[in-house]
Amino acid sequence: MKIEDVFENNKAWIQKKLNYNKDYFKDLAKGQNPEFLYIGCSDSRVTAEDIMGVQPGEVFVHRNIANLVNNVDLNVMSVINYSVRHLKVNHVVVCGHYYCGGVKAAMQAKDLGILNPWLRNIRDVFRIHKDELNAIKDEDARYNRLIELNVQEQCVNLIKTAAIQEAHKERGLLVHGWVFDVQSGELIDLKINFSRILNDIMEIYRLE
Ligand code: CO
């Protein structure tokens, strides 16, 4: 695709929206009231709005390599605080995907420069779950399972934050872990048990 095509596509998109509603952009400019915060991978194949079937204004999005929720990442922490405390989203989603290059890179015994500290978060997930993962003989199945466990651990990281604990108590905000299967297009719900994780971690991570 050529860069000029982007602007042609944009014009066509504007026309499509206006045909559907002549005040579409006037309405959009009034503000946002999304129900979801979506934290996903930067991978170009995993587009939040497309796979969820949502329109502009419906989902607040943050993407990074391997959908990590790292407590010293000012970017993701700002996104969580703003969307939970100010936009009042009621669902926070971590969406990973099979064939994730970030997770694969973390599993290589190689110096990857600035990516080392970032991908270390995934190596830590492997360490926490190494008994389960090492018991899986098939390499692809082990890789897929690590992708699921990474999503689960990032959900745990979300539940460790004061903003999430407070919103859960106040209005029943929930955290969800999903995996997008690139090969079938299917979105898989890992059925994260919020209350159980909260109970498990409260001894140390209670902030509210
Ligand atoms: Co990825």
Side-chain angles (χ1 to χ4, degrees):
M1 189 169 136
K2 285 188 300 206
I3 194 86
E4 297 80 15
D5 293 345
V6 169
F7 295 92
E8 286 307 313
N9 290 347
N10 175 248
K11 280 191 195 117
W13 177 75
I14 291 170
Q15 207 46 58
K16 205 173 107 190
K17 292 293 188 196
L18 293 177
N19 288 346
Y20 154 78
N21 172 7
K22 66 176 174 39
D23 293 326
Y24 186 83
F25 294 102
K26 223 190 321 183
D27 291 346
L28 206 57
K30 284 178 189 158
Q32 58 171 332
N33 186 23
E35 184 69 7
F36 301 96
L37 162 61
Y38 168 102
I39 299 169
C41 186
S42 297
D43 191 301
S44 61
R45 299 165 295 179
V46 191
T47 54
E49 289 86 351
D50 274 357
I51 63 176
M52 291 171 72
V54 297
Q55 294 300 316
E58 291 186 309
V59 58
F60 203 72
V61 174
H62 178 81
R63 291 168 68 178
N64 62 38
I65 293 176
N67 41 270
L68 298 179
V69 178
N70 180 302
N71 72 313
V72 293
D73 174 13
L74 195 56
N75 192 346
V76 74
M77 286 299 143
S78 303
V79 166
I80 293 164
N81 264 274
Y82 179 66
S83 61
V84 171
R85 289 189 156 145
H86 298 277
L87 296 177
K88 308 271 183 205
V89 297
N90 285 314
H91 298 277
V92 181
V93 173
V94 176
C95 185
H97 66 102
Y98 295 134
Y99 306 97
C100 183
V103 174
K104 188 143 223 176
M107 289 300 92
Q108 292 166 6
K110 208 169 159 187
D111 182 354
L112 295 165
I114 190 64
L115 278 173
N116 290 339
W118 189 253
L119 298 178
R120 232 278 307 281
N121 294 288
I122 304 169
R123 290 176 190 266
D124 291 343
V125 173
F126 197 106
R127 181 172 54 79
I128 294 166
H129 298 278
K130 77 173 164 48
D131 291 344
E132 178 186 343
L133 288 163
N134 285 333
I136 304 171
K137 292 287 162 257
D138 181 71
E139 206 180 310
D140 281 351
R142 191 164 63 234
Y143 173 37
N144 286 349
R145 185 60 187 143
L146 177 58
I147 283 159
E148 294 168 0
L149 289 169
N150 181 47
V151 168
Q152 186 184 301
E153 288 302 325
Q154 304 318 314
C155 289
V156 175
N157 287 343
L158 276 170
I159 296 171
K160 289 172 189 167
T161 67
I164 299 277
Q165 290 180 16
E166 179 190 72
H168 177 69
K169 205 158 97 181
E170 274 178 16
R171 60 178 194 273
L173 171 143
L174 287 174
V175 168
H176 309 271
W178 299 344
V179 175
F180 176 69
D181 186 351
V182 181
Q183 216 164 34
S184 67
E186 197 190 342
L187 202 50
I188 299 154
D189 185 359
L190 298 178
K191 299 199 174 12
I192 294 298
N193 189 328
F194 193 111
S195 306
R196 204 187 66 210
I197 294 173
L198 193 64
N199 285 337
D200 279 357
I201 66 173
M202 268 320 211
E203 185 187 348
I204 298 171
Y205 297 99
R206 181 190 293 273
L207 297 177
E208 272 305 307

